[in-house]
């Protein structure tokens, strides 16, 4: 039987604090809760996931470099680094994989400095403002992108 495709679900700085602070902005779920619903969704879609979080920009870059040839797609909440990091954008482009960017909050309703992300330039699609449901919608869209790519190959 063919090995099931896996999706790297990457979470940037401070997302380990989910559910602990600012529930009005980011909701009450912990990152562990988000991981659990993502794992269940991925299973239902016939995908595996590798769910990770780091507060260190270089670590996120290294994980992205390792994703090439290992994973079929990337779902990323780059958190604050999305607004600042050309290094993360470059690393996403190096993977040559489909990328979907997710933000829990609606970054366009917030401070102007959150309206732009460098990382979205590497993304097929961006989902924001739907809380943790955004991750599930991203996995659904990713399953379709992976299937379509296979059908074309
Ligand atoms: O809405 C999102 O998902 C963000 O990526 C979250 C980032 C923020 O910098 C982006 O503009 C939008 C912040 C993540 C910090 O998460 C926390 C969670 C709980 C308590 C404190 C921070």
């Amino acid at each position: 039987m063919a090995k099931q495709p896996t999706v790297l679900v990457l979470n940037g700085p401070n997302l380990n604090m989910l559910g602990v602070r600012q529930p009005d902005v980011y909701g009450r779920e912990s990152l562990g809760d988000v991981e659990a619903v993502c794992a269940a969704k991925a299973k239902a879609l016939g995908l595996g996931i590798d769910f990770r979080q780091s507060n260190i920009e270089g670590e996120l870059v290294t994980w992205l470099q390792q994703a090439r040839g290992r994973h079929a797609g990337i779902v990323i909440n780059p958190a604050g680094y999305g607004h600042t990091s050309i290094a993360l954008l470059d690393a996403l482009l190096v993977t040559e994989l489909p990328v979907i960017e997710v933000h829990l909050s609606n970054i366009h309703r917030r401070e102007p400095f959150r309206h732009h992300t460098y990382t979205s330039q590497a993304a097929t699609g961006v989902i924001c403002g739907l809380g943790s449901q955004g991750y599930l919608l991203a996995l659904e869209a990713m399953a379709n992108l992976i299937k379509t790519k296979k059908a074309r190959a």
Side-chain angles (χ1 to χ4, degrees), residues 13-15 17-18 21-22 26 77 79-80 83 103-105 107 110 114:
N14 297 307
L15 285 165
M17 299 305 287
L18 270 188
R21 301 243 164 82
Q22 292 184 256
Y26 299 119
N77 182 345
H83 310 301
H103 296 277
L104 295 159
S105 62
I107 55 175
R110 301 183 64 191
R114 294 186 201 274

Side-chain angles (χ1 to χ4, degrees), residues 12-23 25-27 29 76-83 101-107 110-111 113-117 127-129 131 135:
N14 297 307
L15 285 165
N16 54 316
M17 299 305 287
L18 270 188
V20 179
R21 301 243 164 82
Q22 292 184 256
V25 184
Y26 299 119
E29 284 169 290
I76 184 167
N77 182 345
Y81 286 148
H83 310 301
E101 179 168 319
V102 174
H103 296 277
L104 295 159
S105 62
N106 181 351
I107 55 175
R110 301 183 64 191
E111 305 95 320
F113 63 81
R114 294 186 201 274
H115 296 180
H116 172 265
T117 66
I127 299 170
C128 74
Y135 284 73

Side-chain angles (χ1 to χ4, degrees), residues 67-133:
R68 207 185 147 146
R70 202 182 275 193
H71 297 294
I74 295 164
V75 170
I76 184 167
N77 182 345
Y81 286 148
H83 310 301
T84 62
S85 179
I86 294 168
L88 264 193
L89 167 62
D90 289 342
L92 284 166
L93 292 171
V94 161
T95 67
E96 294 183 321
L97 292 171
V99 173
I100 300 179
E101 179 168 319
V102 174
H103 296 277
L104 295 159
S105 62
N106 181 351
I107 55 175
H108 302 290
R109 269 181 92 169
R110 301 183 64 191
E111 305 95 320
F113 63 81
R114 294 186 201 274
H115 296 180
H116 172 265
T117 66
Y118 287 102
T119 42
S120 58
Q121 201 160 331
T124 302
V126 180
I127 299 170
C128 74
L130 300 175
S132 62
Q133 196 198 356

